[in-house]
Amino acid sequence: MSKRVLAFDVYGTLIDTHGVIAELETALGERAAAFSQRWRDKQLEYSFRRGLMGAYTPFSACTREALEFTDRALGTGLSEGQKDRLMATYGRLPAFPDVAEALQRFSGAGVTCVAFSNGTREAVDGLLSQAGLRDYFDDIISVDEIKRFKPDPAVYSHLRDRMESEAQDTWLISSNPFDVIGARHAGLHAAWVRRSAEAPFDAWGGEPDVTVTDLLALSERLG
């Protein structure tokens, strides 16, 4: 009998990428939130662009390049030491408050859960470990293994290959619409974790199989 696999995106879904704001506030004060959002947007843009160019580099390099760009674009004049501290903070970002309990529910129900990320295995392992989440996952699957980025169809195919799962039994869980659309395009099921009530979904004509506001709600649907 086939077993359902839940593949959880990490950055923005399990881990709050805006958890870096506290460190930013020390240097930038009230400009911290705007800087954080611009940094995150540029980080993803760089991964998309590198994917299209066939110029892969680890996600941490995209993050650093995006930090450099945002500093220049906003004229914030961060020192190299401040940038190094921000990058270090990115390695110990906090989990969203609903995550641990939801993962515990899935684990108790015997659901196969994997972390599925643009980040390298080492980075994701460290991030989940410091957040107290690592033990809830059967494995970590990184795009670094095939040197592609989401939403390249090859990434979702790699997930299935690693898990030896059928498309109909494989679920992508993500707060990022581009990731949800990519998984659906590749034939997987997908749940969108709409962490902001103001967040729109892309008007591409397709919808997630499930939309929830947090992972606790998801555990009631799929646990």
Side-chain angles (χ1 to χ4, degrees), residues 23-219:
E23 182 70 31
L24 282 166
E25 284 176 340
T26 302
L28 304 179
E30 63 183 17
R31 302 180 69 186
F35 189 103
S36 177
Q37 186 62 59
R38 186 74 174 273
W39 184 10
R40 170 64 170 165
D41 290 346
K42 206 68 181 179
Q43 173 201 52
L44 291 174
E45 179 190 331
Y46 280 179
S47 71
F48 298 154
R49 286 165 60 181
R50 284 188 170 278
L52 287 168
M53 291 165 60
Y56 178 86
T57 192
F59 197 55
S60 59
C62 294
T63 304
R64 181 70 188 223
E65 290 164 353
L67 173 59
E68 297 285 356
F69 173 88
T70 305
D71 181 44
R72 294 177 190 176
L74 299 185
T76 41
L78 295 174
S79 68
E80 290 304 308
Q82 287 172 316
K83 292 173 189 174
D84 290 343
R85 286 192 291 275
L86 286 167
M87 288 298 297
T89 300
Y90 221 89
R92 53 176 186 272
L93 292 170
F96 287 103
D98 56 293
V99 172
E101 183 179 348
L103 291 175
Q104 188 173 30
R105 290 182 186 181
F106 283 121
S107 179
V111 176
T112 299
C113 296
V114 298
F116 176 48
S117 179
N118 272 341
T120 64
R121 182 183 183 90
E122 180 181 22
V124 172
D125 188 88
L127 196 55
L128 296 178
S129 295
Q130 63 84 34
L133 303 176
R134 180 63 181 88
D135 290 345
Y136 295 119
F137 292 98
D138 295 271
D139 203 351
I140 293 171
I141 299 174
S142 168
V143 305
D144 189 60
E145 295 163 14
I146 61 169
K147 306 299 191 248
R148 307 282 186 89
F149 282 118
K150 299 176 180 180
D152 189 319
V155 171
Y156 305 100
S157 179
H158 178 65
L159 165 66
R160 287 183 48 211
D161 289 344
R162 288 272 271 103
M163 297 309 299
E164 299 181 345
S165 62
E166 297 297 327
Q168 66 267 21
D169 299 318
T170 310
W171 281 75
L172 182 280
I173 316 299
S174 182
S175 67
N176 298 300
F178 75 85
D179 198 7
V180 171
I181 291 170
R184 295 288 289 128
H185 178 71
L188 277 60
H189 290 293
W192 180 35
V193 185
R194 190 183 187 191
R195 291 204 169 276
S196 169
E198 290 75 40
F201 198 78
D202 295 282
W204 283 35
E207 296 294 330
D209 293 282
V210 174
T211 298
V212 293
T213 56
D214 59 32
L215 292 185
L216 291 173
L218 184 70
S219 70

